[in-house]
């Protein structure tokens, strides 16, 4: 067979795989290239910081402190330290600053100010040291007194490895939903058609989603055992974390199954699920806190339901917070899972009509 014949055969093959080739050669590279706009800086320059100003603190004193933090953070005024600490645990802010009441008193020559960070928020530990140094230097230049800024760590000071354990578990769940589940469905396409004779396709798919959700207990127990063996004080079996992971898999599994049936179990559907996997991995705030990212990417992440699932998993496993603390977030992820059943049902109807 000549080279010309081989090239002609490849061209004919390409014409029959035009959608898959367009996806791989155009859509996928375009998505990755376009995603570069979301990576605008590396260091957290506008991470939210709670500035607690009591009744004895004047507006001028608050403005001085807030201005000192604006270079590397976004100060948010709080009237209660308890509310600020609660938001610190929920990753709504990444530091709590208590404004001293005698900051503007000319008779006071030295004031102490405390910046509290969460010991579980390992990625923010090093940036917080730089933040404290810059704030102390700035305030000492602005005021005719010595300002001592001290950093305090709330809770246990964790290592990066223990911080990443719930993150890697969530990545496994997303990969299981968007990669292995579609692969399993494609391999059992013929079996699914035979099962439709005895029962409905809805029942078959529901059973498969339920079975694979139950299978998540295996990696969950493996991760928990590894955490115990390594001496990490991480409770991966916390009820809120288990609920968040299960709801995440059901939602993403429903999406992946809908794409698989809508594409007729074809290659295009598997590739599209891979693209969705990368999208959820990139825009769920899995590793770095959302405050580390640019405003554009931060706004997008906060609109992705799996981001709140990750916050729930991290909060429940690392900080051992009660389930009630995550009620709104778990409810939002549950509504997301229910909503994803709609495209799943439509794809099943379209598949049944086409076969």
């Amino acid at each position: 067979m000549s080279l010309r014949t081989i090239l002609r055969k490849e061209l004919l093959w390409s014409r029959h795989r035009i959608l898959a080739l367009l996806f791989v050669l155009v859509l996928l590279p375009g998505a990755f290239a376009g995603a570069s706009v979301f990576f605008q800086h590396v260091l957290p320059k506008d991470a939210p910081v709670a500035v607690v100003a009591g009744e004895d603190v004047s507006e001028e004193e608050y403005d001085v402190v807030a201005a000192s933090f604006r270079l590397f953070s976004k100060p948010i005024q709080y009237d209660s330290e308890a509310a600020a600490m609660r938001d610190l645990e929920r990753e709504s802010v990444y530091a709590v600053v208590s404004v001293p009441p005698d900051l503007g008193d000319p008779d006071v020559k030295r004031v102490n100010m405390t910046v509290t960070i969460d010991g579980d928020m390992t990625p923010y530990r090093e940036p917080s040291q730089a933040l404290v140094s810059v704030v102390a230097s700035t305030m000492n230049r602005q005021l005719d007194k010595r300002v001592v800024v001290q950093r305090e760590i709330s809770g246990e000071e964790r290592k990066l490895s223990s911080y990443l354990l719930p993150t890697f578990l969530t990545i496994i769940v997303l990969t299981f939903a968007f990669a292995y589940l579609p692969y399993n469905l494609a391999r059992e396409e013929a079996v699914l058609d035979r099962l439709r004779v005895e029962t409905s396709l809805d029942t078959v798919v529901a059973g498969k989603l339920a079975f694979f959700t139950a299978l998540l207990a295996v990696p969950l127990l493996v991760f928990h055992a590894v955490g115990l063996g390594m001496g990490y004080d991480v409770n991966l079996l916390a009820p809120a974390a288990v609920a968040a992971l299960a709801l995440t898999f059901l939602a993403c599994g429903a999406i992946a199954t809908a794409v698989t049936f809508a594409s007729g179990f074809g290659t295009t559907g598997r590739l599209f699920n891979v693209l969705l996997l990368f999208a959820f991995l990139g825009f769920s705030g899995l590793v770095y806190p959302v405050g580390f990212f640019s405003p554009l990417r931060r706004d997008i992440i906060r609109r992705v339901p799996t981001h709140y699932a990750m916050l729930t998993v991290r909060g429940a496993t690392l900080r051992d917070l009660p389930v009630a603390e995550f009620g709104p977030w778990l409810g939002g992820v549950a509504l997301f899972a229910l909503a994803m059943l709609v495209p799943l049902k439509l794809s099943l109807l379209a598949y049944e009509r086409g076969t």
Side-chain angles (χ1 to χ4, degrees), residues 191-203:
V191 177
L192 292 174
D193 289 335
R194 288 199 299 271
L195 289 174
R196 288 169 55 192
V197 178
E198 303 175 5
T199 184
S200 67
L201 189 59
D202 292 346
T203 304

Side-chain angles (χ1 to χ4, degrees), residues 37-70:
V37 71
F38 300 112
F39 297 87
Q40 297 175 359
H41 52 69
V42 177
L43 293 177
K45 292 184 177 181
D46 53 359
V49 170
V51 180
V52 182
E55 296 180 356
D56 298 332
V57 176
S58 66
E59 192 69 28
E60 291 76 13
E61 290 172 330
Y62 169 80
D63 290 339
V64 170
V65 175
S68 301
F69 278 87
R70 284 195 180 98

Side-chain angles (χ1 to χ4, degrees), residues 137-148:
S137 175
T138 302
M139 294 191 67
N140 278 289
R141 287 197 306 267
Q142 292 178 342
L143 302 174
D144 294 331
K145 63 183 65 184
R146 187 183 178 197
V147 181
V148 179

Side-chain angles (χ1 to χ4, degrees), residues 89 91 310-321 326:
E89 291 181 336
E91 297 185 30
M310 183 70 256
L311 290 181
T312 300
V313 174
R314 203 147 52 206
T317 58
L318 297 179
R319 304 178 187 94
D320 199 23
L321 298 176
F326 310 105

Side-chain angles (χ1 to χ4, degrees), residues 181-182 185 205 209 251-265 269 272-273 276 340-348 350-351:
L181 179 59
L185 287 169
V205 172
L209 285 175
C252 296
I255 296 172
T257 303
V259 170
T260 300
F261 277 93
S263 64
F265 296 87
F272 190 73
N273 275 326
L276 289 174
M340 292 305 99
L341 296 180
V342 175
L344 174 58
K345 177 62 177 178
L346 293 176
S347 67
L348 294 180
Y351 179 79

